[in-house]
Amino acid sequence: SSEKSAADRLKLLGAAICARAEDTNSFLVESRPMKVYSDFAASLALLPHPAARTKLLRICGVSRASYVARCHGEEAAGWLRSFDDVSMGAMADIVGTSPTNLLSYPRVCLPTTMGGLGITRYSRIARLAYAASRANSVDQHALVDAFYRKTYPHWVTDGGSGRGAAAAGTRSAP
């Protein structure tokens, strides 16, 4: 039978626990439907101010993907790519361009403390988020900031506070 038994997979505290790692992504698609996030992203268009829409997308929209990346890492790559596509589509709507055009600007994905718009592409940082979660003592933001500094050194600026402090080895209160 192609159906998975309850013993092969379960949802525990929102995480997709599967007997085989390769089943994780398909179970996430079933147990965490993207429609919920797509509906949230679409509802942002109802707000009149682009700055408010951007802030809500950046702050409220990401908790699901952040959790999935921390729990599953690269096992959830397909689900995380779908999440990223919805995020980029919503951001493209906010700035009035296409998602393809938007992705040609790496600064979109940089944290705001580095001069970016703060729209995290979780499929790109899944391995780092998972490693930080597994280590339990490593600051995920510091790892992600280091990744961006190495990947986009010419785009990164050191404006703002918060995560910039994390990259320097200190963490400011949220």
Side-chain angles (χ1 to χ4, degrees), residues 3 13 16 26 28 34-36 40 44 56 59-60 66 73 77 79 93-95 105 107-108 111 134-135 154:
E3 273 192 47
L13 299 175
S26 61
L28 282 167
M34 197 56 59
K35 183 174 179 351
V36 174
F40 164 76
L44 294 175
L56 283 171
I59 295 170
C60 299
S66 179
W79 190 92
D93 287 345
I94 291 168
V95 299
Y105 297 97
R107 192 166 288 194
V108 170
R134 291 280 308 221
H154 54 285

Side-chain angles (χ1 to χ4, degrees), residues 2-173:
S2 64
E3 273 192 47
K4 304 288 178 198
S5 72
D8 289 337
R9 58 193 201 172
L10 64 107
K11 191 172 178 183
L12 179 66
L13 299 175
I17 310 300
C18 299
R20 299 176 334 147
E22 56 269 17
D23 294 335
T24 301
N25 195 67
S26 61
F27 188 43
L28 282 167
V29 169
E30 285 176 35
S31 64
R32 289 182 164 268
M34 197 56 59
K35 183 174 179 351
V36 174
Y37 184 58
S38 296
D39 289 348
F40 164 76
S43 71
L44 294 175
L46 301 173
L47 297 172
H49 301 290
R53 292 162 60 191
T54 301
K55 192 163 196 164
L56 283 171
L57 178 64
R58 189 175 57 237
I59 295 170
C60 299
V62 301
S63 61
R64 302 186 106 207
S66 179
Y67 183 76
V68 167
R70 288 190 323 269
C71 288
H72 301 292
E74 292 181 314
E75 292 175 4
W79 190 92
L80 290 168
R81 273 190 301 277
S82 294
F83 187 93
D84 291 346
D85 289 347
V86 172
S87 295
M88 287 299 132
M91 191 67 218
D93 287 345
I94 291 168
V95 299
T97 190
S98 72
T100 304
N101 189 38
L102 189 66
L103 285 173
S104 66
Y105 297 97
R107 192 166 288 194
V108 170
C109 303
L110 289 175
T112 56
T113 58
M114 294 181 168
L117 293 178
I119 308 301
T120 302
R121 296 198 57 206
Y122 285 96
S123 60
R124 300 266 337 252
I125 65 159
R127 179 183 292 174
L128 292 172
Y130 182 73
S133 176
R134 291 280 308 221
N136 197 28
S137 62
V138 177
D139 184 350
Q140 176 183 333
H141 294 296
L143 281 175
V144 172
D145 286 354
F147 166 78
Y148 284 129
R149 288 180 192 287
K150 182 175 172 115
T151 306
Y152 305 112
H154 54 285
W155 286 97
V156 173
T157 63
D158 285 322
S161 61
R163 287 184 19 186
T170 61
R171 183 79 177 144
S172 61

